[in-house]
Amino acid sequence: MGAARHNLTILGGLLYCGECGSKMTRVGGDYLRCSLAAETGGSACSHTPCYPRRTVEGRVLGVLGNELMQTPAI
């Protein structure tokens, strides 16, 4: 009771909307969406689609894994 809410996703607080720069937030537990578009109903940011959180995380982590396995990074 009264405990702070923690973002329990891998990329929580690190993803931003490509259109307006607002943070991407979780909606419905398993999806990500632009927070400004969600708050304004699309009037301030027209980037309204929701993306499956696991798909986004998988793609980002896959790219990071490939980049980190390059010789200069090792």
Side-chain angles (χ1 to χ4, degrees):
M1 190 162 160
R5 288 182 69 184
H6 296 286
N7 197 339
L8 300 176
T9 64
I10 295 171
L11 301 171
L14 300 174
L15 298 175
Y16 293 88
C17 176
E19 188 169 319
C20 71
S22 293
K23 285 191 175 187
M24 299 293 283
T25 58
R26 268 187 354 176
V27 291
D30 291 328
Y31 292 90
L32 297 170
R33 182 178 183 188
C34 171
S35 61
L36 185 61
E39 291 171 6
T40 63
S43 62
C45 177
S46 61
H47 192 81
T48 56
C50 295
Y51 301 97
R53 182 179 55 86
R54 291 186 190 270
T55 302
V56 172
E57 289 174 352
R59 288 183 183 178
V60 171
L61 294 176
V63 169
L64 286 174
N66 289 337
E67 292 293 321
L68 292 175
M69 294 306 292
Q70 301 299 319
T71 305
I74 294 174

